[in-house]
Amino acid sequence: MKTMKVENNLMSRCILRGKMSVGGLLLLTGMGLSSCNFLDFDQSIGFDSQEEVYEVFSRAEQSLTQVYTYLEHDFGSIGGAMRDCATDDAHYVWSNGEVHTFTNGRWSATNTIDAEWNNYYTGIRAANLFIKSMEENDFSKYKWNNDYDTWMEKSQYWIYEARFLRSLYLFELAKRYGDIPLATGIYTVEDVNLLPKSKFADVIAYIAQECKEVADRLPESFEKVTGKQTGRITKGAALALRARALLYAASPLHSEDDQSKWIAAAKAAKDVMDLGLYRLIEEENINNLASKELILERRMASSCDFEKKNFPISFDKGNTGTCPSQNLVDAFQTINGYDVTLTEEGWKSDDPLFNPKYPYADRDKRFYKTVLYDGVMFKGKELACYEGGAEGLPVVGASETGYYLRKYIIEGVDLAPNERPMNHYWVLFRYAEVVLNYAEAMNNAYGPDKVENDFTMTACEALNLVRKRSVKTLIPTGLDRVAFQKVLEREKRVEFAFENQRFWDIRRWKTGKFTQTGIDGVRITKSGDAKSYKRVSVETRTLHDKMNLYPIPMTELYKNNNLYPQNPGW
């Protein structure tokens, strides 16, 4: 690994002024109430009182927009690295990268990483204040205004959008920390520092109920709502969060194989599928706003930052950054559905059409949307990832795995001679996840080939709906539950690589300790026109079962004794 070539700034986030205390939202809530008793807007906007903020419709709308700004993204959220660099899917090339704290043994309650406790509780506080203020506000004074009907049409959804966002932020905290305070009200400083933790199961039950209620009040889309705004919370988004939350609750990290929980998760995923609003379609990019597969995304400002962090080192201003591993590349089968493995002696596959001289040809279509590899054309040039090539070792900053990132990279972005930024969209929910969540839940509830009650599609049938877009052969029937789970884990891995899924999946499956012990890469040597390939070890890691949950930051434990006990092992 190397030392950082260029110190890139994290993508800027729009946040409320209230995010200023290391104590997190729970303390911030009290501080905010005592200091100004309303949402902590940037005072440069000119909002000086709660009455003034909510008196004008457009300002109330802006306050909801600020609640949206806490939506997550992973365009290099861990010190410039994507979160998958802390899984077996990727390696971060720079040795001083913050993401290595996840796996080098230095992670602790006093040396936290991805410490979103403060951020998400601040977002929850903003949602709580917005909801309370909207419930108390009376817009009827404007009923004679020409725009009144338009205002009412739009604002009828606002509280439900804020309730969804609060639920999503609670879920982000619960999947990190497990048991957390269920902060759904407005608190004084004294009250907030006495809030007890709620059990993970209770938090998920709350989220599931909230999502069900708001889904009944939200539109399927905003196409027929004045303004036709996109990127807003819809019925589908609420149900998709519910399905994800219930799947986590049923998973091994949080449950002892309770069939009723798996059935609930399957039913929640089916509710999204039964809407008939979304489709599985084959597209070049997953973050196409016009896609019928997209359920909810976070929209980012026009920027070159992500490309600067991840363009190959040979490109001017490129910084390599997140590098797919050979471990991940091995997970992509051939187009005919055969495994391909790189060994120290070269490539191995049972596919009779596989040619080890051209190991990246005729692979699962998802491979080409995920990984840049030796010989691929990118921005008008053929990448040379072999030793001595422009993108290969021993070039300082070259990928040590032999691969570069493709997923989410916008090839049309230019960095030199003049920067040409483009808009970036982070996918929060898409339909393929719903279908594979259904497959996972059904398999654990009934097995891969069985349906009961109101279910009509088996786990195997659901998985193959996603698979058939990218691979010619389908998963056969007749597998047992354990074997099918392994197949499903691979499908999720290749389908959602670098979409911030695997980091959490291997934790809820409790498989992280076994899948992340070593990161491998490929060494390619070239002699004339011939190339040889060899598997090499890039990085070894220190991992423990305790890392399935984050440690509660010690700063929070100092303030609130009710947050004890600390998560196991920390």
Side-chain angles (χ1 to χ4, degrees), residues 131-380:
I131 292 166
K132 181 176 185 295
S133 297
M134 287 299 296
E135 288 174 341
E136 295 175 351
N137 194 62
D138 181 10
F139 280 121
S140 64
K141 69 181 72 174
Y142 298 110
K143 64 183 179 181
W144 305 116
N145 188 289
N146 292 336
D147 295 324
Y148 179 76
D149 290 341
T150 299
W151 291 354
M152 294 301 101
E153 180 188 9
K154 294 175 69 175
S155 65
Q156 66 179 308
Y157 304 115
W158 287 358
I159 286 179
Y160 306 108
E161 292 173 64
R163 285 172 62 182
F164 168 92
L165 292 168
R166 176 175 63 189
S167 294
L168 179 58
Y169 302 153
L170 284 167
F171 176 72
E172 289 298 323
L173 287 161
K175 77 180 184 183
R176 285 169 169 81
Y177 301 101
D179 301 345
I180 60 168
L182 191 55
T184 59
I186 308 300
Y187 307 98
T188 66
V189 173
E190 293 76 16
D191 290 341
V192 83
N193 287 326
L194 294 175
L195 277 178
K197 291 191 295 186
S198 293
K199 294 292 186 181
F200 177 87
D202 294 333
V203 176
I204 297 300
Y206 173 83
I207 291 169
Q209 184 61 33
E210 280 287 280
C211 287
K212 184 176 181 180
E213 291 181 9
V214 303
D216 290 338
R217 304 300 295 268
L218 288 168
E220 294 181 348
S221 79
F222 283 82
E223 180 64 26
K224 296 180 180 180
V225 179
T226 297
K228 298 184 177 181
Q229 294 175 314
T230 57
R232 301 275 296 276
I233 307 304
T234 61
K235 178 189 293 290
L239 294 179
L241 172 58
R242 185 171 186 268
R244 183 187 289 179
L246 289 174
L247 185 78
Y248 274 59
S251 298
L253 180 61
H254 301 291
S255 178
E256 295 294 332
D257 198 20
D258 185 333
Q259 186 190 39
S260 66
K261 291 183 178 180
W262 288 116
I263 292 173
K267 177 61 170 65
K270 184 176 182 293
D271 287 343
V272 183
M273 298 160 70
D274 287 347
L275 291 175
L277 299 174
Y278 309 106
R279 292 188 290 118
L280 293 169
I281 54 180
E282 187 175 333
E283 293 185 292
E284 180 64 26
N285 300 308
I286 63 162
N287 53 343
N288 175 6
L289 294 184
S291 172
K292 289 296 185 180
E293 187 172 330
L294 184 63
I295 298 176
L296 181 66
E297 77 287 345
R298 175 173 177 169
R299 302 187 180 190
M300 311 295 293
S302 180
S303 171
C304 299
D305 287 354
F306 187 62
E307 285 67 30
K308 286 180 180 178
K309 292 170 183 173
N310 294 292
F311 268 13
I313 200 70
S314 60
F315 290 81
D316 191 13
K317 299 183 183 179
N319 205 50
T320 301
T322 295
C323 301
S325 66
Q326 185 63 49
N327 314 57
L328 173 62
V329 171
D330 284 351
F332 291 96
Q333 296 178 309
T334 68
I335 192 69
N336 296 313
Y338 290 86
D339 290 345
V340 180
T341 304
L342 178 62
T343 71
E344 292 185 1
E345 290 77 37
W347 297 95
K348 306 293 182 183
S349 178
D350 291 332
D351 189 336
L353 300 180
F354 178 77
N355 187 342
K357 293 182 179 179
Y358 305 101
Y360 306 120
D362 298 322
R363 300 289 283 270
D364 181 323
K365 292 179 182 179
R366 292 169 288 197
F367 172 73
Y368 306 106
K369 301 175 184 180
T370 306
V371 179
L372 292 175
Y373 53 92
D374 180 68
V376 72
M377 293 299 298
F378 180 70
K379 291 191 71 66

Side-chain angles (χ1 to χ4, degrees), residues 495-527:
E495 179 70 30
F496 303 115
F498 303 105
E499 295 185 45
N500 196 24
Q501 297 267 5
R502 185 162 179 80
F503 182 90
W504 306 110
D505 281 344
I506 60 178
R507 283 166 166 75
R508 66 181 181 86
W509 291 329
K510 298 175 68 174
T511 61
K513 184 176 180 180
F514 305 103
T515 59
Q516 297 185 71
T517 54
I519 298 299
D520 294 340
V522 59
R523 287 292 176 270
I524 308 173
T525 55
K526 184 178 181 183
S527 178

Side-chain angles (χ1 to χ4, degrees), residues 5 26 71 150 190 196 245 306 460 474:
K5 172 190 171 190
L26 299 186
L71 287 173
T150 299
E190 293 76 16
F306 187 62
C460 191
L474 302 182

